[in-house]
Amino acid sequence: MPMRKDGVTVDLQMQPLDRLRGVGPAVAEKLAARGLSTLQDLWLHLPRQYEDRTRLTQIRALQPGVAAQVEGRVEAVERGFRYRPMLRVAICDDSHATLVLRFFHFRAAQVAQFAPGARVRCYGTPKPGQNGLEIVHPSYRVLDDAVETVLGDQLDPVYPTIDGVGTTVLRRLIDQALQRLPDDDSLELLPQSLLSHFQLPTLREALLTVHRPAPDSDIAALLAGRHPAQRRLALEELLAHHLSLRGQRIAQQAHAARSLRGLTLARKLRDALPFRLTGAQQRVFEQIRTDLRKPSPMLRLVQGDVGSGKTVVAALAAMLAVEDGRQAALMAPTELLAEQHLGNLRAWLEPLGVRVAWLAGKVTGRARAKVIAEVASGEAQVVVGTHALMQEGVAFADLALAIVDEQHRFGVHQRLALRDKGAGGTVGADAVVPHQLVMTATPIPRTLAMAAYADLDVSAIDELPPGRTPVQTVALSAERRPELVERIRAACAEGRQAYWVCTIIDESDEVVAQAAQSTFEELSRQLSGLRVGLVHGRLKAAEKQAMMRAFKEGEIDLLVATTVIEVGVDVPNASLMIVENAERLGLAQLHQLRGRVGRGSAASSCVLLYQPPLSQMARQRLATMRETNDGFVIAEKDLELRGPGELLGTRQTGIAGFRVADLARDADLLPQVQALGERLLADSPALAARIVARWVGGAARYASA
Ligand code: ADP
Ligand code: MG
């Protein structure tokens, strides 16, 4: 692709904003605080939404929460001072309905304007008030009766607000910036072929349309974010993020890593396992093995539904590092889970003569010093732990493989921090970094994975070990709770175990713990004769651990728990799970919780208790849970219900913060984005860098990763 950019234009795009009229040092500083420092930044400060003043809505037809413009005559005015000054103006139109305009800040002159009978046109979002709908602080105009007042003929853009810069000032600045938009030749970075393929406008046209929609533009499309101009901007933005992630990956892979080849230990482990690997486990292990043979770092995400057997795959990978005389680390997000991994790994690896060390927050004093010394000397071949692994003072002798379990619980920074624990040695002149394996049981839809994990290779363990019967799920109104007591009794009489999960709105550990405590007491009373246990976040680590061990050993029949057991806990004999207030939990969390049962061969069930009435959203979530056990299907549904920002959580701050793109809405662009991204990186890296700088710019906080 030719570089048509001459130096002059590049300068213009990067021109500082203090060249604009009305931008002194104070305003410049306010803008800079929001990351706006060049003309280009202002071009890309896009409207968040539009106000449609091109038409009037009848008061009778107003809907709460839906912004609209109305016109009516003042019927009554009331000034009050009950708690603070207040002005209420009732207006009425020919639909014979009344709307209240409410003001808390107003001047005397304003009050005088609202004479009974005066004609008022206003715009705002109505909400239910004491007497029907009301709009608080609408924007409004009192109209002269003698003059025919025309409606606006274009949408008014609403910009994300900037502290200290008023909306009028901001609009004027953007006007000035738009006047300086260069022609297509100097501005456009995308190939013409791509634009014609999707029938999209050039960047210049798109920016002008989105900032200042012409009177004849497709208003409905603009309001829905589906106008070709918006799609065009979304395309470039998605491309910029994709290129940025790929760029980080390329930077990572420029480092050296240990090439791990020996298979003897891994084979021994496989042969000693009490089960045969599933086809999916074998395939994913092969993928990992191929990566680990290379002298550049693996960056791989393993997605696998709950119970698909990711841990053993991680253990097999660790054996490659150990056989090469190096170390592997496995980090889990909770102590409970790390502890469980420790148990598994010790049982599997110690018979092979592999030394497994344990490091968590509660390991202190002499014990900690000892572990740290073993990690530093290399005596500890596999190190299992929590965040404590990343603490200062922990230094590995030769970490060749860093494994992070349930990575959605960690930020990208933490993953990188663990990697940095291994940076140190050199191969030739290059710093050596560990291979990275991240695992998650929260599958994300393919399109989303493409956008969010462009810096990782993705494998899927898409098969469950044989002999599992799918969990039967029912949703019951909380009134039917008494029936469950009998159900628990019956399950336990057959030698099975059960979980009772307490959740409440207030997420403070303290309050949830109290709720769990009283549920525990009540159930203990009702189920006398059964052994009931309690575990929640306020218990000491040792207490939690003892309780989990007792449950695992079958010394407890019913475990009352908070969502501390959500992730990873594995007790195959448990076959009944009851979740209280299930309507308040998201799909991903419900799926995780349910994954605690159905791990053995017995038929398992999950009861989702809810408090009626159910919201539409909650109803759909519960229906989804009843209909499927497939984490990938659930993830697709979750994406549909919640949108990508929430689904991805903390890791993808960049993804959640798109300016125009919406991963659910614009998903069809992603395959093109990916293909084009690869081509640009290969053929025109300088152009790729400019696209990234334009959209991601200073926000590329992981760029040095
Ligand atoms: P997850 O993928 O949710 O982390 P785990 O690694 O905890 O799953 O495995 C769930 C359970 O299945 C464990 O008890 C594990 O030992 C067992 N398991 C793993 N792989 C197999 C297999 N191929 N056949 C039978 N059981 C298996
Ligand atoms: Mg797991």
Side-chain angles (χ1 to χ4, degrees):
M1 201 172 303
M3 284 279 292
R4 295 159 305 194
K5 318 305 153 210
D6 52 78
V8 181
T9 322
V10 172
D11 280 354
L12 177 59
Q13 309 193 1
M14 301 315 284
Q15 201 176 77
L17 293 177
D18 55 13
R19 306 268 180 89
L20 299 182
R21 260 173 296 120
V23 182
V27 172
E29 198 176 303
K30 298 274 181 355
L31 293 170
R34 274 294 296 268
L36 305 178
S37 50
T38 65
L39 266 189
Q40 179 168 276
D41 293 335
L42 266 195
W43 298 332
L44 299 181
H45 192 69
L46 300 169
R48 180 163 48 78
Q49 60 183 59
Y50 297 93
E51 291 181 351
D52 182 2
R53 290 192 176 79
T54 62
R55 60 205 171 96
L56 291 174
T57 302
Q58 291 204 317
I59 292 178
R60 189 170 293 286
L62 287 175
Q63 287 176 34
V66 180
Q69 176 169 252
V70 299
E71 191 176 304
R73 290 189 183 276
V74 175
E75 251 187 347
V77 181
E78 180 192 280
R79 261 182 99 163
F81 288 95
R82 198 152 356 138
Y83 302 106
R84 48 178 171 160
M86 200 205 338
L87 175 65
R88 302 203 311 154
V89 179
I91 62 170
C92 178
D93 67 3
D94 50 18
S95 71
H96 301 293
T98 303
L99 171 72
V100 174
L101 313 180
R102 188 194 287 267
F103 300 84
F104 297 106
H105 314 281
F106 51 92
R107 292 183 305 272
Q110 266 174 296
V111 183
Q113 276 184 312
F114 290 120
R119 206 171 131 215
V120 180
R121 184 180 290 177
C122 66
Y123 183 94
T125 306
K127 53 172 203 183
Q130 284 159 346
N131 314 307
L133 290 178
E134 64 177 39
I135 302 182
V136 176
H137 283 268
S139 65
Y140 74 94
R141 267 196 308 157
V142 176
L143 305 176
D144 186 339
D145 249 342
V147 183
E148 175 80 16
T149 323
V150 291
L151 288 167
D153 62 358
Q154 60 187 74
L155 293 178
D156 297 331
V158 181
Y159 290 100
T161 52
I162 295 178
D163 280 345
V165 183
T167 48
T168 328
V169 173
L170 183 60
R171 276 188 73 150
R172 273 196 216 123
L173 295 180
I174 289 174
D175 277 334
Q176 288 182 62
L178 290 175
Q179 278 156 23
R180 288 167 167 74
L181 260 183
D183 62 15
D184 283 332
D185 259 3
S186 11
L187 192 64
E188 190 57 59
L189 295 178
L190 298 188
Q192 185 53 48
S193 56
L194 183 79
L195 298 182
S196 10
H197 177 84
F198 283 106
Q199 300 188 313
L200 297 175
T202 62
L203 179 60
R204 184 187 149 82
E205 259 177 87
L207 286 173
L208 289 172
T209 305
V210 166
H211 281 289
R212 302 288 176 260
D216 61 352
S217 46
D218 182 344
I219 289 181
L222 276 167
L223 291 174
R226 294 195 144 276
H227 193 281
Q230 291 160 315
R231 298 260 296 165
R232 142 76 225 215
L233 296 173
L235 178 73
E236 188 168 329
E237 183 172 37
L238 289 170
L239 180 64
H241 279 265
H242 180 81
L243 289 170
S244 155
L245 283 171
R246 296 301 293 180
Q248 288 163 39
R249 183 189 164 89
I250 290 169
Q252 283 252 2
Q253 294 214 306
H255 294 293
R258 307 290 181 195
S259 160
L260 308 173
R261 296 166 171 273
L263 261 181
T264 318
L265 265 177
R267 287 217 175 98
K268 272 195 189 150
L269 169 57
R270 189 196 57 197
D271 295 342
L273 288 172
F275 47 75
R276 276 175 61 95
L277 295 180
T278 62
Q281 284 171 319
Q282 273 170 34
R283 173 170 43 79
V284 171
F285 176 59
E286 283 307 314
Q287 289 166 345
I288 294 171
R289 195 165 76 83
T290 309
D291 289 348
L292 294 183
R293 290 167 72 93
K294 296 183 188 152
S296 59
M298 168 173 78
L299 296 162
R300 185 169 290 277
L301 170 72
V302 173
Q303 298 199 48
D305 213 341
V306 284
S308 62
K310 291 180 291 295
T311 320
V312 71
V313 173
L316 288 164
M319 289 309 90
L320 299 183
V322 171
E323 183 159 340
D324 205 51
R326 316 198 185 271
Q327 293 166 297
L330 170 57
M331 180 167 79
T334 65
E335 216 151 87
L336 222 54
L337 186 52
E339 183 100 38
Q340 181 181 291
H341 285 329
L342 178 72
N344 279 327
L345 293 189
R346 285 207 164 134
W348 289 334
L349 306 186
E350 283 181 349
L352 306 180
V354 174
R355 169 112 185 87
V356 183
W358 165 240
L359 189 57
K362 67 178 178 213
V363 180
T364 53
R366 299 239 319 254
R368 180 178 149 87
K370 182 162 173 279
V371 178
I372 287 187
E374 284 179 11
V375 172
S377 71
E379 197 186 327
Q381 293 163 294
V382 175
V383 188
V384 181
T386 57
H387 302 77
L389 287 180
M390 298 180 301
Q391 275 160 11
E392 239 172 279
V394 181
F396 286 80
D398 193 351
L399 181 62
L401 172 63
I403 306 168
V404 177
D405 193 19
E406 303 299 349
Q407 80 88 33
H408 60 290
R409 289 300 192 94
F410 291 104
V412 69
H413 302 285
Q414 289 166 310
R415 170 160 71 82
L416 295 175
L418 182 58
R419 178 206 69 185
D420 291 342
K421 287 288 177 193
T426 50
V427 169
D430 293 329
V432 179
V433 301
H435 296 283
Q436 291 179 58
L437 177 62
V438 298
M439 307 195 289
T440 179
T442 305
I444 60 173
R446 219 178 67 83
T447 46
L448 213 50
M450 251 156 61
Y453 296 117
D455 57 337
L456 298 172
D457 294 310
V458 180
S459 305
I461 304 188
D462 48 9
E463 178 185 351
L464 291 180
R468 305 258 171 97
T469 38
V471 180
Q472 290 292 334
T473 303
V474 292
L476 292 184
S477 155
E479 296 154 19
R480 298 180 56 187
R481 183 180 161 136
E483 296 167 27
L484 293 173
V485 172
E486 285 322 306
R487 197 147 164 188
I488 294 171
R489 204 190 292 282
C492 295
E494 286 172 22
R496 319 237 53 110
Q497 291 164 281
Y499 294 97
W500 185 292
V501 182
C502 304
T503 67
I504 50 177
I505 291 185
D506 190 329
E507 286 292 329
S508 98
D509 272 4
E510 175 85 46
V511 185
V512 185
Q514 274 168 17
Q517 177 73 37
S518 44
T519 305
F520 165 72
E521 286 163 12
E522 193 188 335
L523 288 171
S524 303
R525 227 178 8 255
Q526 293 169 338
L527 289 163
S528 58
L530 288 190
R531 297 159 302 174
V532 185
L534 172 65
V535 55
H536 56 67
R538 300 283 284 189
L539 292 182
K540 291 214 184 70
E543 295 169 324
K544 262 190 270 186
Q545 180 195 328
M547 186 56 70
M548 290 313 298
R549 186 172 305 129
F551 188 58
K552 193 154 189 158
E553 305 276 298
E555 291 158 14
I556 285 179
D557 302 303
L558 171 66
L559 184 64
V560 178
T562 60
T563 51
V564 291
I565 59 144
E566 172 188 341
V567 170
V569 172
D570 182 38
V571 180
N573 190 49
S575 66
L576 173 61
M577 158 147 306
I578 292 144
V579 183
E580 274 188 297
N581 300 319
E583 78 280 4
R584 293 179 187 150
L585 301 183
L587 273 176
Q589 202 173 13
L590 286 171
H591 181 60
Q592 281 288 334
L593 280 171
R594 182 173 59 183
R596 298 311 113 222
V597 292
R599 300 187 145 241
S601 48
S604 296
S605 42
C606 174
V607 180
L608 303 174
L609 278 180
Y610 62 85
Q611 297 285 348
L614 283 178
S615 71
Q616 179 61 19
M617 181 91 128
R619 191 180 303 277
Q620 288 195 47
R621 283 199 298 259
L622 295 183
T624 306
M625 290 300 293
R626 278 203 315 268
E627 282 155 19
T628 181
N629 278 296
D630 182 331
F632 286 90
V633 174
I634 290 176
E636 293 283 355
K637 190 71 190 175
D638 209 12
L639 175 63
E640 188 188 312
L641 291 178
R642 282 201 300 167
E646 292 210 39
L647 203 61
L648 291 167
T650 51
R651 178 186 188 269
Q652 288 74 24
T653 29
I655 299 279
F658 281 140
R659 302 177 213 226
V660 266
D662 173 330
L663 284 175
R665 190 184 64 208
D666 303 320
D668 59 320
L669 296 171
L670 287 168
Q672 288 289 335
V673 162
Q674 203 177 29
L676 179 66
E678 298 314 306
R679 219 173 76 211
L680 280 176
L681 283 172
D683 302 346
S684 345
L687 189 53
R690 293 197 51 208
I691 296 175
V692 174
R694 176 181 274 173
W695 288 89
V696 186
R701 63 203 106 194
Y702 316 133
S704 61

